[in-house]
Amino acid sequence: MILYLHGFRSSPLSMKSRLLAARMQALGRSQEWLCPQLPASPKLAIELALSLVKDVPARELIIIGSSLGGYYATWLAEQLGCRAVLLNPAIVPLLDLEQHVGVTTAFHSDEPFEFKRGHIDELRGFAVPAVSQPERYFLIAATGDEVLDYRHMVAHYAGARQTIINGSDHGISEFADYLAPVLQFCGIDTKAGQ
């Protein structure tokens, strides 16, 4: 089972989640794909994620997290003992999200949502100072990320499998090029169905 957690102001309509969902469908494995719309509240986002995978054994679960979703994925992987793929993950979102307190909209919708100051306090509860088993993690980080510093990601996931993209951007515009290694890390044969 793959649980995909999108980033702040993102949604299941993000380019990365749509590419992964389409590939899972092409492989006949749509039933092993989950990508919920996460609430603005970190506490509620984590509760939703936990509820979706409560019956999935850790060895059968992989969480893919992008940006803030990577922050959540790391905490969840530490709690559940599963593997995780991190795509330009947030390491210290408390600092980065302070500027977003207030009402805003998602990138793929005009629907307003409120990111409250209390949500920053909630984020503190999901901090992971260091991952316990780096071999359970796969980091994809772009040196050209205009939102987050890839060097913080590389240091935080030291010892994990890492692919560093020279250039690119926060959204990893060329993510289609990385579908195969991501799904292979998830234990999915990407050649099936071809």
Side-chain angles (χ1 to χ4, degrees), residues 32-80:
E32 298 170 57
W33 170 258
L34 293 169
C35 182
Q37 176 65 56
L38 298 176
S41 160
K43 180 178 179 289
L44 295 179
I46 291 288
E47 287 175 2
L48 174 60
L50 287 170
S51 73
L52 290 172
V53 299
K54 67 181 186 310
D55 297 324
V56 181
R59 70 185 177 282
E60 296 174 19
L61 175 64
I62 299 92
I63 303 174
I64 301 176
S66 175
S67 193
L68 182 58
Y71 181 80
Y72 295 155
T74 302
W75 186 87
L76 288 161
E78 288 295 309
Q79 300 302 307
L80 301 173

Side-chain angles (χ1 to χ4, degrees), residues 6 9 14 17 31 56 61 78 100 121 123 165:
H6 63 74
R9 294 185 63 200
S14 77
S17 62
Q31 73 283 2
V56 181
L61 175 64
E78 288 295 309
H100 294 288
D121 294 331
L123 281 171
I165 303 167

Side-chain angles (χ1 to χ4, degrees), residues 18-38:
R18 284 186 292 116
L19 283 170
L20 283 162
R23 191 70 190 112
M24 290 293 283
Q25 183 175 18
L27 293 168
R29 299 181 79 159
S30 292
Q31 73 283 2
E32 298 170 57
W33 170 258
L34 293 169
C35 182
Q37 176 65 56
L38 298 176

Side-chain angles (χ1 to χ4, degrees), residues 62-66 73 83-87 138-140 182 185-186:
I62 299 92
I63 303 174
I64 301 176
S66 175
R83 288 173 288 152
V85 178
L86 300 316
L87 309 172
F138 177 19
L139 169 69
I140 298 180
V182 165
F185 185 81
C186 297

